[in-house]
């Protein structure tokens, strides 16, 4: 199983980016599919999560109202639309998945996620 993350880039503060995580290699099952990020000077943190079991979504507090996670069934991707980006959003973003339901989305503990994509760099300039 290999996830593929894409969509990072350089954007000015207040701008937008859309990240995509290709999930076609996941076998049919219920998954929690999350976006994590590692920002300079901080540990990797969960940003947002989509639970395929009930299509529920979860967000870390600092991105609520700015980021939207969604699943595109036609493309087999889980996308993260990031609006009103701030310099503190700068970091390497990873998508990850684990079998299971909403529980794994609620806490977004990185060690509970089985499958990882490569990171994609997001840089927000002030």
């Amino acid at each position: 199983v290999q996830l593929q993350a894409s969509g990072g880039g350089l954007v000015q503060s207040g701008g937008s980016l859309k990240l995509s995580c290709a999930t076609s290699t996941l076998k049919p099952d219920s998954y929690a599919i999350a976006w994590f990020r590692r920002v300079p000077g901080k540990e990797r943190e969960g940003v947002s999560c989509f639970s395929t079991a009930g299509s529920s979504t979860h967000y870390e507090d600092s991105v609520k109202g700015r980021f939207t996670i969604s699943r595109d069934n036609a493309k087999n991707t889980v996308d993260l639309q990031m609006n009103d980006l701030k310099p503190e959003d700068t970091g390497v973003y990873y998508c990850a998945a684990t079998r299971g339901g909403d529980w794994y989305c609620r806490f977004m503990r990185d060690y509970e996620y089985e499958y990882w994509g490569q990171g994609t760099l997001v840089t927000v300039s002030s």
Side-chain angles (χ1 to χ4, degrees):
V1 174
Q2 190 164 8
L3 306 178
Q4 196 79 21
S6 62
L10 172 64
V11 65
Q12 288 188 331
S13 182
S16 298
L17 282 174
K18 183 178 181 179
L19 306 182
S20 288
C21 179
T23 62
S24 60
T25 57
L26 292 175
K27 296 179 180 179
D29 206 336
S30 295
Y31 290 92
I33 303 172
W35 285 95
F36 291 83
R37 68 184 177 190
R38 190 187 299 276
V39 302
K42 295 179 68 176
E43 294 184 356
R44 187 164 57 188
E45 63 176 353
V47 174
S48 184
C49 187
F50 181 92
S51 172
T52 66
S55 296
S56 62
T57 59
H58 298 263
Y59 298 93
E60 190 267 331
D61 286 345
S62 70
V63 307
K64 285 180 180 177
R66 300 189 297 123
F67 291 10
T68 302
I69 193 169
S70 61
R71 188 180 191 188
D72 187 326
N73 289 320
K75 295 181 180 179
N76 266 324
T77 61
V78 172
D79 302 327
L80 186 67
Q81 178 66 45
M82 305 186 296
N83 298 329
D84 189 24
L85 282 161
K86 306 176 186 297
E88 52 264 41
D89 294 317
T90 293
V92 180
Y93 284 69
Y94 303 86
C95 65
T98 190
R99 287 186 182 85
D102 186 70
W103 174 266
Y104 294 98
C105 272
R106 290 185 190 179
F107 302 102
M108 289 188 280
R109 299 182 182 116
D110 59 357
Y111 57 85
E112 293 181 331
Y113 282 72
E114 300 173 76
Y115 309 113
W116 289 82
Q118 86 291 2
T120 185
L121 178 63
V122 172
T123 304
V124 185
S125 63
S126 56

